[in-house]
Amino acid sequence: MSSVEKVVEQSLLYDYYGELLTAHQRRIYEAAVFENLSLGEIAQESGISRQGVHDLLRRCDAKLAQYEDSLHLLERHEKNKTLCESIERTAAELEAMHHALDTDPQERSLCSLEAAGDPTSYEQQKADEEQVLDFLLAQIRQLLEEI
């Protein structure tokens, strides 16, 4: 894992579980992760040794990871984010289909067929469209249930 990925992971875990750390742990952790201070700078500011800062940061990382292992809030957030993106894509597909129905020349000619006395083709086209729309709506409902 790259250092950037590690900082992102630490930040996300801290966002979810940081309040479960003590005030002292939060100050040290924020100085290291968010302010990017060195161990020596943090040690000098807090009046503890560099080794003490290092050990405290490792314990905080382990504690935050343990909270995630037990509660899975970050995991659920990522899953919900993926599902919401999928719902947005499906909704965009529905919108595109609706727009195509409104502007498609073939659809207009099918309406003309109905007016000219060929309701079978028009009804079949409408049934096909409803089947596709029902399928997409079922997908959206399924995704919403998973959230």
Side-chain angles (χ1 to χ4, degrees), residues 10-72:
Q10 286 175 316
S11 298
L12 289 170
L13 288 172
Y14 185 82
D15 286 345
Y16 278 94
Y17 307 110
E19 290 299 316
L20 299 173
L21 300 175
T22 67
H24 177 69
Q25 290 171 326
R26 284 195 307 271
R27 275 193 308 277
I28 301 294
Y29 201 80
E30 288 172 3
V33 175
F34 301 120
E35 298 172 30
N36 201 26
L37 297 180
S38 70
L39 296 178
E41 292 170 321
I42 297 169
Q44 188 175 18
E45 279 183 13
S46 16
I48 59 176
S49 69
R50 288 179 79 250
Q51 185 63 44
V53 172
H54 179 266
D55 291 345
L56 188 138
L57 291 173
R58 285 187 40 222
R59 283 193 310 273
C60 287
D61 280 334
K63 190 174 273 195
L64 295 173
Q66 181 183 14
Y67 290 141
E68 175 59 20
D69 288 343
S70 297
L71 301 172
H72 306 286

Side-chain angles (χ1 to χ4, degrees), residues 19 31 37 46 65 70 84 96-97 104-105 111 126-127 138-139:
E19 290 299 316
L37 297 180
S46 16
S70 297
C84 286
M97 287 181 68
D104 185 59
C111 292
K126 282 299 183 188
Q139 279 187 314

